[in-house]
């Protein structure tokens, strides 16, 4: 999307605390106009941007006059500890455009999302929206409003959070049981996917082929890297599968890869 608009993309490293903000500062000579981040659950590594990094990122944005787009997908599903405040909620300098979506918490074909904008950008975005998309799904929005106001949305999130948490724990347990130290699990504390780094000499293509042969679909993380991607990283979504399928899938995968 950004390159289609003529933007030059600048990849920044992500570690277990999320975006490495110092790397942004090292690019001070470049005119960075926009930083796109997914702080609640970095896609695809699953890292959660820590509070010190959030404050550091906001300070950098304020100093350099850069706008941050906070794509807060997956923020509803945080396990084990309280969610951290959104960048938009602690921003004092109107640097953050917050983007939320109902695709993952309800269903993707709903096609409803929302933005929380700095006051100075509201009329610009309203004009752009009016130009690009005049017919809105009003009925869907009204139904969704009732769904939220009557408390169903909050109940739905609570129910789904414990359902996904159970799936997540089954997946983590199965990975530990069948792969042990042959796999490193990353980003398991939020969202509806985690990432697994497989320690094997097999190529990603060979891993996917062997997985397919035993009926397991594996999604490589490779296409999400702008720089040279590491080997053996895969995205494991656990929202749609049953506990039995998750357990059996990992067992089959271990049989296929560790033989
Ligand atoms: C990183 C990220 N952001 C946002 C979304 C939601 O996008 P949309 O609202 O266009 O369905 C997704 C959905 O998969 C996603 O992976």
């Amino acid at each position: 999307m950004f390159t289609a608009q003529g933007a030059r993309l600048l990849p920044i490293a992500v570690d277990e605390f999320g975006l490495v903000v110092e790397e942004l500062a090292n690019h001070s000579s470049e005119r960075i106009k926009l930083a796109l981040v997914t702080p609640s659950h970095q896609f695809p590594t699953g890292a959660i941007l820590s509070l010190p990094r959030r404050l550091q990122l906001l300070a950098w944005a304020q100093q350099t006059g850069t706008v941050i787009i906070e794509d807060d997908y997956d923020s509803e599903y945080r396990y084990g500890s309280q969610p951290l405040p959104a960048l938009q909620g602690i921003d004092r300098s109107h640097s953050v455009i917050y983007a939320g979506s109902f695709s993952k918490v309800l269903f993707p074909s709903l096609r409803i999302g929302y933005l929380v904008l700095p006051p100075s950008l509201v009329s610009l975005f309203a004009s752009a929206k009016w130009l690009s998309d005049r017919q809105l799904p009003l009925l869907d929005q009204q139904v969704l409003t009732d769904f939220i106001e009557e408390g169903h949305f909050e109940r739905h999130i609570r129910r789904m959070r414990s359902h996904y948490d159970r799936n997540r724990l089954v997946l983590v347990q199965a990975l530990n049981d069948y792969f042990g130290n042959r796999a490193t699990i990353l980003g398991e504390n939020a969202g509806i996917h985690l990432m697994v780094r497989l320690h094997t000499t097999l190529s990603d293509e060979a891993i996917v082929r062997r997985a397919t042969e035993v009926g397991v679909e594996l999604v490589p993380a490779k296409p999400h890297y702008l720089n040279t991607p590491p080997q053996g990283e895969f995205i494991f979504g656990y929202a749609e599968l049953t506990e039995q399928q998750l357990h059996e899938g990992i067992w089959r995968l271990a049989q296929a890869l560790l033989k």
Side-chain angles (χ1 to χ4, degrees), residues 38 41 43 71 73 100-104 108 111-113:
T38 47
H41 200 218
F43 192 87
D71 173 1
Y73 95 106
S101 165
F102 290 95
S103 287
K104 289 210 172 191
R111 304 316 307 146
I112 296 181

Side-chain angles (χ1 to χ4, degrees), residues 17-44:
F17 304 110
L19 183 87
V20 181
V21 180
E22 279 113 66
E23 267 206 22
L24 279 173
N26 293 342
H27 289 284
S28 55
S29 58
E30 323 222 9
R31 269 198 71 222
I32 301 179
K33 289 190 178 158
L34 203 68
L36 172 65
V37 291
T38 47
S40 288
H41 200 218
Q42 201 272 342
F43 192 87

